Structures are given as C-alpha cells and as structure tokens.
Amino acid sequence: MKSPVEKNKEYIVDIIDNGFEGEGIAKIENFAIFIPNAIKGEKVRIVVVKVLSSHAFGKILEIIVPSEKRIESDCKTYKRCGGCSLRHIQYETTLQMKQNAIQSLVDKTLENKIKVQSVIRNGKSISL
C-alpha cells in the first residue's frame, strides 16, 4: 500500500492530538504523522522527514494557527538541548497531557481499570 505522504514534501496539517512524548499528531488520509513541538489544536506547515509503512515523522516549518496553550520557553537553550520536550506548552496543560498519557497506558495494559489521579505539580515555585 502506497503512503499518502512523501518524504521531503510539504503539507499543511491540523494537529489533532499529542502523543506519549508530547509530539503533535496529524493525519492525512488516516495516515499518522508525528511532529515534535506541535500542540493539539494548531495548524502547521510541515515537511515530512521520514516515512514508514504505518506512519511518518514531520518537522514544523511554520505555525499558521498557534494553540492558546503555546508559550515562549523560558530557557535559552531549549531548542538545542533536547533535555525538555514540553517547555513550549503551558505548565497546567503539560500536567493534563501527562495524566492522559498514563491513563492511556493503564487502559491498554490492565484488566482491572483504574482512574489515574491528577498529576502533582512540581513543588518549586513557578510563574504561569
């Protein structure tokens, strides 16, 4: 089956969800594309950098419609370092994303379903 996307080709996509590691997820003809630094609700112009049989990976070229959850990172080396993957997203939203990721894993792996409680905030003082 031929993929509906091609490597090195540009697309404009809507980010429909965020994945386990915070990457944005878009779909073209039901084919998933994972895009680092994209946030659910955004419209972005991407270039596809890798295509596999079941999904692809893209890179943001332009944020056409940003999410209201997007913030400017408070770290000068954030984009180069790679130590933090969610610093461009409001802190409260990252807590919800982490809770959703854990709930999804629980739902997939446990027969006795449990509800994951809210993620506990970092103890140090931060400004939101």
Side-chain angles (χ1 to χ4, degrees), residues 83-99:
C84 308
S85 62
L86 303 175
R87 230 154 153 120
H88 62 289
I89 305 172
Q90 291 174 354
Y91 183 66
E92 294 298 326
T93 302
T94 67
L95 296 177
Q96 185 63 50
M97 289 170 66
K98 291 171 184 180
Q99 179 182 352

Side-chain angles (χ1 to χ4, degrees), residues 39-123:
I39 305 172
K40 181 178 178 179
E42 293 185 320
K43 180 181 283 287
V44 294
R45 184 168 60 91
I46 64 165
V47 62
V48 172
V49 295
K50 186 174 185 179
V51 180
L52 302 173
S53 61
S54 61
H55 60 279
F57 296 92
K59 177 180 171 187
I60 295 176
L61 297 174
E62 175 188 6
I63 299 171
I64 299 167
V65 178
S67 167
E68 70 271 1
K69 309 293 186 190
R70 181 173 288 280
I71 59 171
E72 197 62 39
S73 172
D74 59 350
C75 177
K76 292 178 178 75
T77 60
Y78 168 63
K79 291 183 179 177
R80 293 188 315 266
C81 168
C84 308
S85 62
L86 303 175
R87 230 154 153 120
H88 62 289
I89 305 172
Q90 291 174 354
Y91 183 66
E92 294 298 326
T93 302
T94 67
L95 296 177
Q96 185 63 50
M97 289 170 66
K98 291 171 184 180
Q99 179 182 352
N100 292 345
I102 299 301
Q103 186 68 60
S104 179
L105 288 172
V106 165
D107 290 346
K108 289 178 184 175
T109 57
L110 295 181
E111 287 184 30
N112 292 335
K113 303 302 179 201
I114 60 171
K115 172 143 176 35
V116 175
Q117 298 298 311
S118 297
V119 176
I120 299 171
R121 292 178 56 90
N122 181 339

